[in-house]
Amino acid sequence: MSKDFAAGDAKAAAAMFANDAAFEDMALHAQILGRLAIERYLARALGAVPYGKDAALAHVVGSDQGGGYEWRAGASWPLKRGNTDIELDKDGKISRFTVVYDSGLLPDPQYHALIAL
């Protein structure tokens, strides 16, 4: 997943989601429902969010039911790390994807630009 996010490949990333998946960015108070809506969001967002393009994988945990990973934001970001939680359905597709990071470190204009995505 992180590889597709870092490459900015929304189509490949969205292919791992269940049709009725939920994507949550807790820092932006955003929830996107459904694989097609998630793909459209990722197409707009992966070049702009700290867990997208240029983010690097830091640590992975998990099992057959899901897990998560810690990521490092690219050098241009004022925040350094964040976490992603992944829940899987019975078919191994992502049913819930939740991202958490400290948006309080972002300048207001940058935060508002991310909300507009």
Side-chain angles (χ1 to χ4, degrees):
M1 173 60 71
S2 180
K3 169 182 67 81
D4 296 326
F5 273 45
D9 190 343
K11 189 165 196 65
M16 292 186 262
F17 285 84
N19 288 332
D20 60 348
F23 184 104
E24 300 170 314
D25 185 321
M26 300 302 282
L28 301 180
H29 307 283
Q31 183 180 60
I32 298 90
L33 302 175
R35 189 186 57 75
L36 294 177
I38 291 168
E39 183 177 345
R40 288 190 302 268
Y41 175 75
L42 292 176
R44 294 188 310 272
L46 285 180
V49 293
Y51 51 88
K53 198 163 172 59
D54 298 329
L57 191 61
H59 184 75
V60 178
V61 296
S63 69
D64 292 343
Q65 296 174 334
Y69 62 95
E70 180 182 16
W71 46 267
R72 288 186 204 98
S76 65
W77 287 93
L79 60 104
K80 300 302 175 206
R81 294 178 184 256
N83 291 293
T84 300
D85 173 65
I86 301 170
E87 295 177 34
L88 303 176
D89 66 12
K90 62 180 174 46
D91 298 320
K93 292 284 193 175
I94 298 170
S95 59
R96 181 170 299 277
F97 186 93
T98 306
V99 171
V100 179
Y101 54 96
D102 187 356
S103 60
L105 297 173
L106 302 176
D108 283 346
Q110 188 175 25
Y111 179 73
H112 291 289
L114 292 177
I115 291 171
L117 293 170

